[in-house]
Amino acid sequence: MIRPDANRSRTMRAVKSANTAPELAVRKLLFSLGYRYRLHRKDLSGSPDIVFPGRRKVIFVHGCFWHGHDCKRGARTPKTNAEYWRTKITRNIERDRRSAATLRDQGWRALTLWECEIGDRDKLTTILRDFLE
């Protein structure tokens, strides 16, 4: 039988930071709208998920839980090791703010899309077109 902590470790190792389902959905929509982009530019602060170099615009697609969104999914607190998770998510939020500020200082505009926003295709299309025009 697998110990609970070993099971959790296996689960956490499976969590991806790039090419997630929400990110792929945004990329597919952008492509269908005719936009072309670059992915995960490591030379830019925060390694944005989607980059439009000619427009100097980037998009971050954030998971609500991992980046501390104020929606129902993002506001939940794990029952075990709660202090660890609170600290980790707080660090993620601070890192995201620093990355956005650095990009802004370098002349880039950043859009953060939350996992919970991805489901409404019409609203997402409007958000993306407004940002990219």
Side-chain angles (χ1 to χ4, degrees), residues 25-93:
V26 172
R27 286 167 31 188
K28 183 177 179 180
L29 178 56
L30 284 166
F31 195 86
S32 74
L33 295 172
Y35 294 104
R36 300 302 178 255
Y37 46 83
R38 298 289 176 250
L39 301 175
H40 312 291
R41 288 260 311 261
K42 303 263 187 255
D43 61 321
L44 294 175
S45 183
S47 187
D49 298 308
I50 303 168
V51 181
F52 300 89
R55 300 169 190 264
R56 293 192 65 80
K57 294 183 179 185
V58 299
I59 297 174
F60 292 97
V61 182
H62 285 336
C64 295
F65 172 75
W66 300 104
H67 294 268
H69 192 222
D70 58 4
C71 69
K72 181 180 175 184
R73 183 179 196 130
R76 67 182 183 217
T77 304
K79 291 182 174 84
T80 58
N81 213 358
E83 186 55 37
Y84 166 81
W85 287 108
R86 205 172 1 267
T87 302
K88 178 169 183 52
I89 292 168
T90 299
R91 279 194 325 259
N92 289 349
I93 292 167

Side-chain angles (χ1 to χ4, degrees), residues 21-23 25-26 61-62 113-121 124:
E23 181 186 332
V26 172
V61 182
H62 285 336
L113 294 175
W114 294 97
E115 177 182 14
C116 62
E117 298 174 327
I118 305 301
D120 186 341
R121 184 181 170 95
L124 181 59

